[in-house]
Amino acid sequence: MKSKYPVLAGSILICELVVVYFAALAAFGLTVKTNGTLELSQLLIGASAIAVVGIVATILLPRRIGQKRPGVVLGWITQVLLLATGFILPPMFFIAAIFIALWVVALYWAARIDREVAERS
């Protein structure tokens, strides 16, 4: 039977990646105004690193009920990296907190749905 992890948790991770790139552009715009030292290439490399981890996490999420795959752990690493972007752009702390809450809820509901489906089988 198919697991609900890819649908619930994967959608959170993909939405995060879009936000990371917008945050990189916002950080670039703010550093240009304040004569900062961050280059656009540095910000895009950092955003791309987070994106790679998030995409790999999405690909490696469990596909079947009871399957053990490293996608959930990589998803948590993505959450930590997103939280770390707050040191470059402080509003990202708030955005990261929202995505971490969504990640926790997605993991909880996916596990609960999988457990209930397994009990019915």
Side-chain angles (χ1 to χ4, degrees), residues 105-116:
V105 169
L107 293 181
Y108 169 78
W109 280 103
R112 184 174 172 180
I113 291 169
D114 287 353
R115 193 171 44 249
E116 289 177 3

Side-chain angles (χ1 to χ4, degrees), residues 3-72:
S3 174
K4 295 299 178 191
Y5 279 104
V7 175
L8 296 171
S11 61
I12 301 298
L13 289 171
I14 298 302
C15 289
E16 281 182 35
L17 304 182
V18 173
V19 168
V20 164
Y21 279 107
F22 283 128
L25 293 174
F28 175 70
L30 291 173
T31 58
V32 167
K33 286 184 180 180
T34 60
N35 294 327
T37 58
L38 290 174
E39 301 275 334
L40 180 60
S41 60
Q42 293 171 323
L43 293 168
L44 289 178
I45 288 171
S48 296
I50 296 171
V52 167
V53 174
I55 290 169
V56 171
T58 303
I59 292 169
L60 294 177
L61 285 169
R63 300 284 182 218
R64 291 192 173 87
I65 294 176
Q67 187 179 25
K68 301 292 183 196
R69 294 182 76 185
V72 175

